[in-house]
Amino acid sequence: MAAVLRRGSVLRLRLPAPVWLPLRGGGRAICSSAPRHGDSECFTPTLSARLAGLSYPELQQMSREDPDTFWGSIAQERLSWTKPFERVQDCDLDKGQVRWFLGGRLNVSVNCLDVHAQTHPERVALIWERDEPGTEVKVTYRELLESTCRLANALRSHGVLKGDRVAIYMPVSPLAVAAMLACARIGAVHTVVFAGFSSEALAGRIQDAQCKVVVTCNQAVRGGRAIDLKTTVDAAVRTCSSVKHVFVAQRTSSPAPKGDLDVPLEEAMGRESADCPPEPMDSEDPLFMLYTSGSTGKPKGIVHTQAGYLLYAALTHQCVFGYRPGDVFGCMADIGWITGHSYVVYGPLCNGATSVLFESTPTYPDPGRYWEVVERLGINQFYGAPTALRLLLKYDESWVTRYDRSSLRTLGSVGEPINHEAWEWFHRVVGDGRCPLVDTWWQTETGGVCIAPHPAEDGAPIVPAMAMRPFYGVEPVLLGDKGECLQGPGVRGALCIKKAWPGLARTIYGDHQRYLDAYFKPYPGHYFTGDGAWRSEDGFYQITGRTDDVINISGHRLGTAEIEDALDEHPAVPEAAVIGVPHSIKGEVPFAFLVLKDGEQTQEVILKELRLLVATKIAKYAIPDHFLVVKRLPKTRSGKIMRRILRTVAVGGATEPGGGATEPGGQAGALGDTSTLDDPSVVTEIIAAHARYKEEQKKKKKSS
């Protein structure tokens, strides 16, 4: 890997920019407890020559009423085409049909690499923030293009053809990015599998996609530990007859176990030319597939295509975060998730940005790691997950304030909705109260941000912990139980989107009917997000959680996220998860799982205060009937809490530690698909804690 990279200090580049229209300050929060954003500048770019000079309301109106002009003009100017598209769109959500830029041909790797390498070859494309602080590696667009071409030629030399699927099981690194772009260059379809999944989970994804090749490393390095990847891959491919070759890179000096399918990646790249003619791809050809777990059943391979996805990722990267040419964009996500695809790789590189690849953890070697990186690399936009923020706010603020964060201009939150305590800490402590904080809502299926505080018109407010405004071309609607459209402010319902946008996923690999059933059948003519939302008096949107995380308490419908938000406001509660459990009289009641900080207060005192807090913030009927204190919550590797597992435990569906025999693909008895859990042992801990809780309840009942 080191042969194609060079180490050195990070450059703060100032690059030629398109025309930008400056707006006044970043606005202010409109809730009484929120601080002002200060004097942070807010910029909106000229999206295309045809749209130049239009205000935000005018752009928003055009994107909805005349999407052909809006998206067509942007696509013509911002993407490099080998054959111009003939028609902007052909979409019918009644049929689940989504097609954009029909007849056009292009190559995604050309748009991400060649166009920048030709004009600014020494511009820094990637800053690899390796596990050990102070050992960052910078990669220019010229170097990344060369690595990508060599890797693409190596894939071609080993029989990988257009349309073949390639599994990438690698840690965050420039070579992993090159592997993604190499697939795009030759028309192969990549599926990145997070380098932490078990061999069974990896095998299930390889089998479903019928991957021809696996690209991996000998080891990953994270938090000071080396993690064997090749051993996991070897165990997986034993059951994957489609795999013909396993390309193995060396992240560390430790030798990897050798197999009959192995190809040393660096050696193979060294034998290949640094020139690889790009494959012209139809705009609707598959670019990649990414697996995401449903509430039941096996993970589903979400398919994104070429032009529409790339354009949407690039435009949202620019507009949502206020990216300007020359900025250092710091998204902390792993490339194994859609956030890493859209806002570490494709969006930033299409825009010619400098993107940070973060290999380590937020607390290694200490809780100041993120902010030390911000100072050392001069990061301008910081995009992280509420899970990490809640972890860090447990520590003293001095871990943040000791570092210079003056380079920061925008803060972003991604994943589950951010709670008020984490929002306030992120904004006040990390951003010094001066940086706009964009709480972004989107999904693997949407390709990019769909609802966020930015873009917005001049002087527009930001409300803490709210996703707020739809992006250009996104038309959210709230639908009731009978599919009726809920009009006006102050209403809550199922969050749906009534028109297609370029970034929307096109299908589930190998099962288009499942795609139709999951996203378009529940509310015909709409994309069903699976989330609920509330629309405020000002027309802003707040995500209230999954629609299956709505409790009906004595006829009162209440989103579990609302109760969680109230619980999270208690200083002793860094994390909480609430699910509904059956009740013989009320129908359902809330069951709260809590993680508590160490402190002087007893659990009894804290629980008393929590009951009062929920009653005050929401209503007495919202007070959970059950509180279970646990050490950790079950989370996916992208940081989302798996409430389905908590629900199964709470209702008695998992009565033994381990949850029963593990089935292929990560199924564990009644617990369902657990393949995306960050640490499966947390389930055993929670089951044991629940068993003790039930015994305590029995004793209390007998004594009373």
Side-chain angles (χ1 to χ4, degrees), residues 495-513:
L495 177 62
C496 298
I497 302 175
K498 69 177 186 178
K499 288 184 180 179
W501 63 100
L504 181 58
R506 305 308 198 248
T507 190
I508 293 173
Y509 183 76
D511 196 347
H512 190 65
Q513 189 58 49

Side-chain angles (χ1 to χ4, degrees), residues 33-35 418-430 437 464:
S33 62
I418 189 171
N419 57 300
H420 278 82
E421 183 186 11
W423 194 100
E424 155 70 16
W425 178 86
F426 196 23
H427 180 267
R428 178 181 58 83
V429 179
V430 176
L437 200 171

Side-chain angles (χ1 to χ4, degrees), residues 160-403:
V160 178
L161 305 174
K162 177 180 177 180
D164 286 342
R165 274 77 61 206
V166 174
I168 300 173
Y169 187 75
M170 303 179 79
V172 176
S173 64
L175 199 54
V177 174
M180 297 167 69
L181 294 167
C183 291
R185 196 163 192 88
I186 64 175
V189 181
H190 66 70
T191 179
V192 181
V193 181
F194 175 72
F197 275 132
S198 67
S199 59
E200 292 85 356
L202 174 60
R205 287 155 173 77
I206 293 173
Q207 291 164 358
D208 185 74
Q210 287 293 287
C211 294
K212 197 172 189 177
V213 161
V214 179
V215 185
T216 189
C217 289
N218 64 329
Q219 292 182 316
V221 182
R222 186 170 169 81
R225 297 187 304 115
I227 305 158
D228 290 329
L229 298 187
K230 181 55 166 47
T231 303
T232 301
V233 172
D234 287 344
V237 299
R238 290 192 193 106
T239 61
C240 302
S241 58
S242 64
V243 175
K244 306 305 179 187
H245 301 287
V246 176
F247 287 89
V248 186
Q250 292 293 126
R251 171 61 182 88
T252 68
S253 59
S254 297
K258 296 188 182 299
D260 295 338
L261 304 178
D262 291 2
V263 178
L265 182 55
E266 287 91 349
E267 291 181 20
M269 291 172 62
R271 293 191 295 267
E272 298 294 343
S273 167
D275 179 43
C276 177
E279 185 75 28
M281 303 295 293
D282 186 87
S283 63
E284 284 298 318
D285 281 337
L287 173 62
F288 67 85
M289 46 200 291
L290 194 56
Y291 283 87
T292 181
S293 289
S295 57
T296 59
K298 68 178 184 178
K300 49 195 177 185
I302 301 298
V303 176
H304 282 286
T305 54
Q306 309 274 332
Y309 166 80
L310 183 65
L311 183 70
Y312 195 74
L315 196 67
T316 50
H317 167 255
Q318 185 178 28
C319 296
V320 171
F321 302 100
Y323 164 77
R324 309 177 200 170
D327 286 348
V328 176
F329 188 80
C331 175
M332 301 296 107
D334 192 283
I335 60 165
W337 311 110
I338 188 63
T339 305
H341 281 56
S342 297
Y343 301 117
V344 174
V345 181
Y346 289 113
L349 294 183
C350 186
N351 287 334
T354 297
S355 182
V356 175
L357 302 175
F358 186 74
E359 183 183 39
S360 194
T361 72
T363 56
Y364 179 78
D366 57 53
R369 179 61 186 275
Y370 272 170
W371 323 121
E372 187 273 334
V373 170
V374 167
E375 178 184 291
R376 176 161 43 85
L377 303 188
I379 291 175
N380 302 111
Q381 294 89 12
F382 183 92
Y383 196 28
T387 300
L389 300 176
R390 285 193 292 267
L391 170 66
L392 295 175
L393 66 81
K394 291 181 181 180
Y395 299 95
D396 191 84
E397 291 182 4
S398 63
W399 286 109
V400 181
T401 57
R402 68 182 63 179
Y403 297 107

